[in-house]
Amino acid sequence: MALLKAYGVKQIVLSPGSRNAPLMQTFSQDAFFECHTIVDERNAAFYALGIIQALQQPVAICCTSGSALLNYAPAVSEAYYQQLPLIVVSADRSPEWIGQMDGQTLPQAGVFGSLSKKSVNLPEINSETDEWFCNRLINEALIACTADASGPVHINIPLYEPLFDYSEESLPEVRKIEYVRPRKSVDINPFIEKWNKLSKRLIIVGQQFQTPELTKLLESLAEKTDCSVFVENLSNCVSPSFIDNFDALLYTISEEEKGNFSPDLVITLGGHIVSKRLKHFIRQHKPKNHWHLTESGEVVDLFQSLTDLVETEAIDFFSKLSAQVTNEKEKPFFSLWKKASKLIPEPREDMPFSDISATGDFLKVLPKNSVLHLANSSTVRNVQLFQLDKSIKVYCNRGINGIESTLPSVVGFASVHKEPVYLIIGDLSFFYGLNALWNIQHIQNLRILLINNGGGGIFHLLPGLNKAPSLKEYVSAEHTTQAKDWALAAGLKYLSAENQDTIKENLRTFTAPDTDQSVLLEISTNMEISKKTFQEYYHKLKTRS
């Protein structure tokens, strides 16, 4: 506990239990720590990820022994692939009782395997050497949590009885090992030479936090050189010089044209990319060079064409690149993509009432400088059809893309954020994560837009699967459940809309800044109409091209 305090880990998410009671006693009675109580460990861990996203600093979660720890696994995997600094602190039984039919026991040490950057199992302390060893192990874990690319670490603590002797009045002085992060700078000259030889250049920005300095650097490259910059909403990187509708655009390009649009050089940075079309396009039309910028040094060969793994900070790399590249008057590759991009319209306002129309109606009234969370599956893809204001910060758990993560993460985010926090979510994701709404009446800034089409609508759009006899009952899990009673039980203000008129009326209340209660707006759409509207939009794109 003293080392967590020394490392500045202030936010602690606790799940009740007896084996971890001494830890909870210490956390809760020290004014330095800010404690959150979430009973369900799976939701508690995702709640912590929301806090990490909001504050961009490490957060610790603490649970009792046994299966409680295993419930953290989905969030640990999300933290690993989203590179979020999550610290798992698990209480454990004495090692001699593991596997001996004693209560709440299982082999906890290293339980997350390769999904944890570092896992340590603390010793029982009977000597100064044991205390030194314990101190060293905890330092190792906490350093690993944020060294290079951040990620989850696991500290397992066997606690011996008696557990409830709270006689220590304060935390002890402890040794913190200071870690000096190396600055990974690269020689830009070899890359300048390759840049000059490869004229069809494409930069792809994956998921990342909003970084204005990086946006300006990429904007400068796009404006003065023949280079296209692809961004998604999750890139949090908006500029008129960038292309954000490339997924829809790729749908319109014929096989004969794709060669003209294919790049010679691809530079990737950031995290995950949503667009499957882009992945398939570049895998089929492999560039001569693919440079991947990363702070972790891990090989990520997403397009099966990686030539250079560049372990550096993106800002440092593009600062050097931008300073040395020459201005180019002729920009045929940039112009080709930009011209095609301008021909792709957003979905029309007069389209039938559907998932897409409801999404567009909300995004048009979303206040500037808002925080917007997106659920996975249809939601994140439908929002990509619309252009967002550059002031909007967008979040989504794309590390593993699980539907169980969204609701608890946004609740955790809202718990430490003063302004309204908006969420667009589908019905399966919402009902899956419903436990996250229990006991959150103190959180008054949540704005949940639930688009309920009665099942997993995205499965109806997948070729082959959309004709399967198992689709409706099993794959899509179609239902008639409404959220009203659940919302009211959770203490939320409930609004509903079933047509174009009621949605616009309720959106004014939904986006009002001065409410003293969290709000859920449930929009009930027809799955078949939503499917046809989606297909007709893309069909019209194809005919326009």
Side-chain angles (χ1 to χ4, degrees):
M1 305 301 101
L3 273 167
L4 285 170
K5 186 174 181 178
Y7 276 81
V9 180
K10 194 176 185 69
Q11 301 290 332
I12 314 292
V13 181
L14 305 171
S15 293
S18 61
R19 187 60 49 166
N20 64 331
L23 306 178
M24 292 191 289
Q25 167 71 15
T26 304
F27 281 130
S28 63
Q29 299 308 304
D30 190 307
F32 172 81
F33 297 111
E34 294 184 13
C35 296
H36 309 251
T37 303
I38 305 293
V39 175
D40 172 357
E41 283 89 3
R42 189 191 74 192
N43 278 331
F46 282 119
Y47 181 102
L49 295 194
I51 298 176
I52 294 171
Q53 291 168 337
L55 303 180
Q56 297 183 34
Q57 57 186 237
V59 173
I61 53 180
C62 177
C63 70
T64 191
S65 62
S67 60
L69 178 62
L70 300 183
N71 285 310
Y72 282 161
V76 169
S77 61
E78 179 66 33
Y80 184 83
Y81 285 107
Q82 207 179 139
Q83 298 182 345
L84 298 177
L86 178 69
I87 303 166
V88 177
V89 178
S90 56
D92 200 355
R93 305 273 167 153
S94 306
E96 63 268 21
W97 291 110
I98 307 300
Q100 300 303 305
M101 296 187 181
D102 203 20
Q104 285 191 324
T105 59
L106 57 81
Q108 293 185 193
V111 73
F112 300 117
S114 61
L115 295 174
S116 173
K117 286 188 69 183
K118 185 74 178 181
S119 180
V120 298
N121 189 45
L122 302 188
E124 180 182 8
I125 297 177
N126 294 309
S127 67
E128 288 186 2
T129 299
D130 294 334
E131 188 170 354
W132 161 81
F133 185 34
C134 183
N135 173 278
R136 195 200 81 198
L137 289 174
I138 299 170
N139 269 289
E140 287 180 15
L142 297 181
I143 288 172
C145 186
T146 56
D148 300 320
S150 295
V153 296
H154 178 204
I155 302 172
N156 191 56
I157 310 176
L159 292 173
Y160 300 77
E161 297 181 6
L163 294 172
F164 311 127
D165 174 14
Y166 303 143
S167 57
E168 293 291 335
E169 295 184 1
S170 61
L171 291 173
E173 293 293 323
V174 289
R175 177 189 63 154
K176 176 192 174 187
I177 299 175
E178 298 293 342
Y179 173 71
V180 180
R181 183 170 180 167
R183 183 175 178 81
K184 296 175 181 177
S185 186
V186 298
D187 179 7
I188 202 66
N189 291 320
F191 296 99
I192 294 292
E193 292 180 15
K194 295 176 185 178
W195 174 279
N196 290 333
K197 292 177 182 178
L198 302 168
S199 58
K200 297 164 69 179
R201 312 175 190 108
L202 174 61
I203 297 172
I204 303 171
V205 185
Q207 182 175 16
Q208 61 174 10
F209 294 124
Q210 197 174 82
T211 313
E213 184 180 357
L214 178 61
T215 301
K216 289 180 180 179
L217 287 168
L218 296 176
E219 197 170 39
S220 173
L221 278 171
E223 289 173 354
K224 71 181 185 179
T225 70
D226 193 9
C227 173
S228 289
V229 179
F230 283 8
V231 296
E232 295 179 317
N233 291 327
L234 302 186
S235 307
N236 285 295
C237 189
V238 178
S239 167
S241 300
F242 303 160
I243 295 173
D244 59 8
N245 60 354
F246 59 83
D247 184 79
L249 193 163
L250 284 168
Y251 180 77
T252 69
I253 300 175
S254 68
E255 289 298 323
E256 294 75 21
E257 292 178 297
K258 284 183 178 178
N260 297 328
F261 285 86
S262 61
D264 296 327
L265 168 64
V266 171
I267 305 175
T268 51
L269 63 144
H272 289 245
I273 300 163
V274 177
S275 173
K276 285 186 177 181
R277 287 194 186 94
L278 179 63
K279 296 170 190 174
H280 291 159
F281 171 67
I282 298 182
R283 287 169 189 168
Q284 292 168 358
H285 301 83
K286 291 181 171 58
K288 295 177 182 177
N289 268 223
H290 172 200
W291 310 342
H292 180 56
L293 311 185
T294 172
E295 293 184 45
S296 71
E298 292 187 9
V299 174
V300 178
D301 192 9
L302 179 62
F303 304 125
Q304 301 175 317
S305 56
L306 186 66
T307 57
D308 296 80
L309 184 68
V310 189
E311 193 170 355
T312 186
E313 294 181 359
I315 288 177
D316 182 68
F317 183 88
F318 286 115
S319 294
K320 292 179 178 179
L321 186 68
S322 182
Q324 293 198 37
V325 296
T326 55
N327 289 12
E328 295 170 326
K329 293 182 179 179
E330 300 295 325
K331 301 166 60 177
F333 189 65
F334 172 88
S335 299
L336 178 69
W337 276 103
K338 200 64 183 173
K339 181 180 179 181
S341 172
K342 290 179 179 179
L343 297 176
I344 305 297
E346 286 189 356
R348 299 191 327 270
E349 290 188 27
D350 61 348
M351 69 180 354
F353 183 68
S354 59
D355 296 357
I356 294 179
S357 73
T359 300
D361 287 342
F362 166 64
L363 294 177
K364 286 180 177 64
V365 298
L366 179 65
K368 290 185 178 181
N369 300 303
S370 290
V371 165
L372 175 62
H373 284 250
L374 303 176
N376 283 299
S377 201
S378 294
T379 299
V380 70
R381 291 173 171 85
N382 288 344
V383 171
Q384 194 59 51
L385 299 175
F386 300 90
Q387 193 168 55
L388 299 181
D389 186 84
K390 65 180 181 180
S391 67
I392 306 296
K393 295 180 179 179
V394 186
Y395 300 87
C396 179
N397 286 331
R398 290 301 295 179
I400 300 297
N401 312 351
I403 69 169
E404 80 277 32
S405 68
T406 304
L407 203 53
S409 287
V410 75
V411 173
F413 193 108
S415 73
V416 295
H417 189 76
K418 294 181 179 179
E419 302 301 321
V421 176
Y422 292 93
L423 165 66
I424 309 177
I425 190 170
D427 48 280
L428 293 190
S429 296
F430 175 80
F431 290 116
Y432 195 126
L434 202 53
N435 240 19
L437 297 182
W438 178 42
N439 202 24
I440 63 162
Q441 287 86 348
H442 60 290
I443 298 175
Q444 301 176 343
N445 57 335
L446 265 179
R447 303 290 183 270
I448 301 171
L449 184 75
L450 167 59
I451 299 179
N452 188 348
N453 61 16
I458 195 171
F459 301 118
H460 290 253
L461 297 169
L462 301 178
L465 181 59
N466 58 2
K467 297 179 181 179
S470 59
L471 175 62
K472 291 188 176 182
E473 184 177 357
Y474 300 103
V475 179
S476 181
E478 293 188 16
H479 63 88
T480 58
T481 307
Q482 295 290 299
K484 180 178 180 179
D485 291 341
W486 302 99
L488 294 177
L492 305 179
K493 181 181 179 67
Y494 178 78
L495 305 171
S496 64
E498 297 180 351
N499 54 56
Q500 205 75 39
D501 293 331
T502 53
I503 186 176
K504 291 183 177 180
E505 177 184 333
N506 281 305
L507 279 173
R508 285 192 289 271
T509 303
F510 185 71
T511 56
D514 54 352
T515 57
D516 57 357
Q517 186 181 17
S518 289
V519 184
L520 185 145
L521 169 55
E522 182 173 25
I523 302 174
S524 298
T525 59
N526 180 281
M527 188 183 294
E528 190 62 27
I529 293 175
S530 291
K531 181 183 78 171
K532 289 181 178 178
T533 303
F534 181 90
Q535 291 171 332
E536 288 172 3
Y537 169 72
Y538 274 94
H539 176 71
K540 288 178 180 178
L541 290 183
K542 199 81 166 180
T543 55
R544 286 172 65 96
S545 65

